[in-house]
Amino acid sequence: MQKFSGKTVYRGIAMGPAVVLKKADEQVKRTGIVDAEAEIARVHKSLEQSKEQLQQLYEKAAAEVGEAHAAVFEAHQMMLEDEDFLEAIYSMIRSEMVNGEYAAATIGEKFAQIFADMEDDYMRARAADVRDITNRLIRNLSGSQQTDLHAAQPSVIVAEDLSPSETVQMNKEKILAFVTVHGSTNSHTAILARMMNIPALVGVPLDLEKIKDGMQVIADGITGEVIVEPTAAQALEAEKKIADEREKARLLLELKGKENVTHDGKHIQVFANIGGVGDVRYVLENDAGGIGLFRSEFLYLGRNDLPTEEEQFQAYRHVLQAMGDKKVIIRTLDIGADKKADYLHLGQEENPALGYRAIRICLTQTDVFKTQLRALLRASMYGNLSVMYPMIISVDEVRKILDIVYEVKKELDAEGVSYKMPEQGIMIETPAAVMICDELAELVDFFSIGTNDLTQYTLAIDRQNEKLDNFYDPHHPAVLKMIRMIAEGAHRCGKWVGICGELGADLELTETFIKMGIDELSVSPSMVLPLRKRIREL
Ligand code: PEP
Ligand code: MG
């Protein structure tokens, strides 16, 4: 038995077998071999295994999300049959007498680089495919079982760190909890864990070399502890806590259908945040009044090219239809900083949180922005859509956005495509936007306060930096004063204002927010009912 302390990202408790995720490049060490043909046979076997896995993934994806989305797995199978690629690996094994993992990693990177240097955007994006298949091959060669979480039983995922794009690709049904050695409680990976309703701890000082797949792990987000190979008594206690938590959740369900109203009759809207189409289920299960933040950028992560207008339209339409006449606020692409997509070629930056992200990308790569706006406007016919724009710092930006929206409307009009003009709002998440919120309020229909970034930029603390978690204080008087200023600014202009950052779910502040006149709080689906309970107690 070993016990470790970490930082809780999502309060909840789970127990189950570990699946240790190791990054492929951590496993690639150059070692000498004596029998090249035997090594090539080993590569060959892993190739077959990789192709079989891809076939299974293809079938699963085709059944769940349709053949168009599954096609990538078919393409990967074909790439694994490419003779130039395989011959280059075999020839390196023979000439340098090195292990298959190393040869595959070296050749894979060489091929990926050839694609990455091409002129054509489509061909450039294939670099990520080459890296993907190479990593799969290496994982199979080194016997790591991480590839197919799809096939594993529900498990506690243990990793050094997880990126948002890795997290977004995981099959939620198979994850009992996340435990990572690094990571900040304010990162998007943490936010995803909260949205997925999954107990999660970061900053847990585990030695991943010592944890083997299948070892029993208790991830206790209530105490902030992780126990590896618990004693029988500890396992029994964990089972009891899990049952208690289930009972608490069951009691909360009794609040479904009830109003979000205080004893003295103040109403507030309680909405939910989502990261993908699949999350709508949790919104409905928890009886949220609407969707206050759909982080659309997650549609752009974990893939090798931009989602097309049609793909986006289908995703937005699905969410809108599932929500009926309830409001759905879709935020336009907020990629960059920790949310990376290789195909957008965002490059390395000294200060990514202060860098090329969100609306800055959309106002530069207007074709990417317009594609999303077309998909959004087309989908507006299927429900109660609002659109909001992230990371605003100036009136000029909002004017530019509105001009682009106008152009897109004209295009659709000319094509005879129908749409219902959605409400348009902006996120207030920079101190600059706070200071000019009166002018901004004139231009838009609503504000949604992004307290995660607002705290980061107000306190000059990188929300990704795990060393600063103790300094990142969203209760700082400067942050609370800004929230009050935003609420007053919006109301002076007759506009409504919500909070969609994580602070909206902070039950210690619910009363303060209601007193400030905040009209809507949008929280992770699992916090909707606890928040309703809190409001009804006030
Ligand atoms: C925020 O900054 O508070 C927010 C809601 O957006 P994100 O966390 O996605 O940056
Ligand atoms: Mg933000």
Side-chain angles (χ1 to χ4, degrees):
M1 187 281 292
Q2 276 186 299
K3 204 189 245 188
F4 305 89
S5 290
K7 292 178 275 187
T8 295
V9 162
Y10 179 77
R11 270 177 68 87
I13 170 163
M15 178 166 62
V19 166
V20 185
L21 293 191
K22 289 200 183 119
K23 301 223 189 301
D25 55 0
E26 282 167 22
Q27 298 158 353
V28 180
K29 293 204 180 79
R30 181 185 179 118
T31 46
I33 51 157
V34 281
D35 184 347
E37 294 319 305
E39 192 62 11
I40 288 171
R42 204 167 71 81
V43 173
H44 196 76
K45 194 164 154 244
S46 303
L47 263 177
E48 292 308 313
Q49 199 182 346
S50 305
K51 284 194 268 177
E52 238 165 70
Q53 289 163 352
L54 286 164
Q55 181 59 27
Q56 280 170 14
L57 284 176
Y58 172 79
E59 284 163 18
K60 180 173 181 291
E64 287 175 7
V65 290
E67 293 204 355
H69 296 278
V72 61
F73 297 120
E74 205 171 32
H76 282 192
Q77 286 182 65
M78 277 155 61
M79 288 170 110
L80 275 176
E81 284 165 4
D82 183 272
E83 283 190 7
D84 289 340
F85 177 61
L86 297 180
E87 264 317 308
I89 295 176
Y90 298 156
S91 134
M92 183 170 182
I93 293 175
R94 286 196 185 100
S95 60
E96 299 191 25
M97 296 302 279
V98 287
N99 53 326
E101 288 89 334
Y102 185 76
T106 313
I107 300 297
E109 195 42 43
K110 215 182 244 173
F111 273 64
Q113 211 44 59
I114 295 174
F115 280 106
D117 292 340
M118 288 183 181
E119 286 283 305
D120 182 76
D121 275 354
Y122 176 82
M123 294 310 279
R124 259 209 317 265
R126 303 284 70 77
D129 288 307
V130 178
R131 291 194 177 107
D132 247 27
I133 57 158
T134 308
N135 286 341
R136 177 175 295 279
L137 181 60
I138 295 168
R139 284 195 295 262
N140 284 323
L141 268 167
S142 56
S144 158
Q145 287 164 17
Q146 64 137 331
T147 328
D148 287 315
L149 258 183
H150 315 260
Q153 55 175 316
S155 309
V156 176
I157 307 299
V158 182
E160 213 45 63
D161 203 353
L162 287 170
S163 70
S165 67
E166 282 166 326
T167 314
V168 82
Q169 289 180 76
M170 289 184 182
N171 180 350
K172 297 176 197 175
E173 308 301 322
K174 295 288 164 69
I175 304 171
L176 293 172
F178 287 119
V179 176
T180 63
V181 178
H182 300 290
S184 147
T185 50
N186 309 303
S187 69
H188 282 96
T189 303
I191 289 171
L192 274 171
R194 270 177 227 130
M195 277 192 308
M196 290 155 88
N197 221 346
I198 288 170
L201 291 108
V202 296
V204 186
L206 299 167
D207 179 351
L208 293 196
E209 290 302 317
K210 297 210 175 111
I211 301 190
K212 300 279 168 258
D213 285 350
M215 276 184 175
Q216 198 69 1
V217 174
I218 297 173
D220 187 342
I222 302 163
T223 57
E225 279 173 345
V226 172
I227 303 177
V228 181
E229 301 207 290
T231 62
Q234 285 169 327
L236 207 67
E237 196 191 327
E239 268 166 21
K240 192 175 162 304
K241 271 171 115 177
I242 292 169
D244 287 351
E245 287 299 301
R246 271 206 202 109
E247 178 56 12
K248 272 194 216 153
R250 196 192 62 75
L251 285 174
L252 278 174
L253 289 180
E254 288 172 8
L255 289 172
K256 277 175 85 163
K258 301 244 163 82
E259 279 187 292
N260 307 305
V261 61
T262 62
H263 284 302
D264 60 349
K266 287 214 169 73
H267 284 259
I268 185 161
Q269 305 264 31
V270 178
F271 286 5
N273 296 346
I274 64 167
V277 177
D279 298 336
V280 178
R281 200 179 94 204
Y282 308 120
V283 177
L284 297 171
E285 269 169 25
N286 289 285
D287 192 33
I291 291 175
L293 167 63
F294 177 176
R295 287 181 164 92
S296 70
E297 59 276 9
F298 287 120
L299 298 177
Y300 293 65
L301 296 184
R303 47 183 297 144
N304 300 327
D305 42 21
L306 279 166
T308 61
E309 178 185 322
E310 191 57 27
E311 275 177 75
Q312 293 191 59
F313 163 70
Q314 294 296 353
Y316 305 147
R317 186 180 74 156
H318 187 97
V319 174
L320 285 159
Q321 280 179 327
M323 292 299 292
D325 58 4
K326 290 184 175 163
K327 198 189 277 289
V328 174
I329 306 177
I330 303 183
R331 171 174 79 184
T332 57
L333 182 63
D334 184 1
I335 218 154
D338 58 327
K339 291 176 282 193
K340 292 263 187 276
D342 285 350
Y343 58 84
L344 277 173
H345 309 292
L346 303 177
Q348 288 296 331
E349 294 179 306
E350 287 282 317
N351 292 303
L354 305 179
Y356 187 47
R357 60 173 287 200
I359 206 67
R360 300 166 187 182
I361 297 177
C362 289
L363 289 176
T364 319
Q365 302 191 33
T366 45
D367 47 340
V368 172
F369 192 31
K370 278 184 163 178
T371 303
Q372 180 168 38
L373 290 170
R374 282 181 62 96
L376 284 166
L377 287 189
R378 283 174 54 201
S380 66
M381 297 302 287
Y382 296 87
N384 181 0
L385 174 69
S386 300
V387 176
M388 73 176 169
Y389 309 104
M391 284 293 293
I392 297 300
I393 57 165
S394 72
V395 165
D396 189 44
E397 277 173 349
V398 179
R399 292 222 168 94
K400 284 198 176 113
I401 293 167
L402 297 178
D403 285 348
I404 295 173
V405 173
Y406 183 74
E407 278 173 37
V408 171
K409 271 169 47 179
K410 288 277 144 243
E411 270 174 38
L412 292 176
D413 289 341
E415 293 165 29
V417 177
S418 325
Y419 57 88
K420 280 191 297 199
M421 201 48 214
E423 244 192 340
Q424 293 183 86
I426 53 172
M427 292 200 57
I428 303 287
E429 51 184 346
T430 63
V434 179
M435 300 313 286
I436 55 167
C437 66
D438 285 283
E439 289 95 309
L440 293 171
E442 300 281 346
L443 298 173
V444 295
D445 300 313
F446 67 94
F447 285 163
S448 186
I449 308 175
T451 52
N452 310 334
D453 278 319
L454 187 59
T455 306
Q456 152 164 274
Y457 297 125
T458 303
L459 304 186
I461 288 183
D462 178 358
R463 64 194 264 198
Q464 285 295 113
N465 188 335
E466 62 196 74
K467 291 196 213 95
L468 301 178
D469 274 358
N470 290 337
F471 293 91
Y472 182 96
D473 174 17
H475 287 217
H476 191 292
V479 176
L480 296 179
K481 192 167 174 184
M482 287 205 183
I483 297 175
R484 181 187 299 279
M485 286 169 68
I486 301 163
E488 287 170 359
H491 290 158
R492 263 196 299 275
C493 207
K495 307 294 164 74
W496 67 266
V497 57
I499 295 179
C500 64
E502 298 293 290
L503 202 60
D506 187 330
L507 303 182
E508 278 177 39
L509 289 175
T510 311
E511 187 172 8
T512 309
F513 293 148
I514 292 178
K515 284 186 179 158
M516 285 179 184
I518 298 291
D519 303 288
E520 173 248 26
L521 293 170
S522 191
V523 297
S524 63
S526 62
M527 281 307 291
V528 167
L529 293 174
L531 180 56
R532 178 169 300 165
K533 181 166 179 283
R534 178 81 189 118
I535 293 167
R536 292 173 67 84
E537 283 163 0
L538 288 173

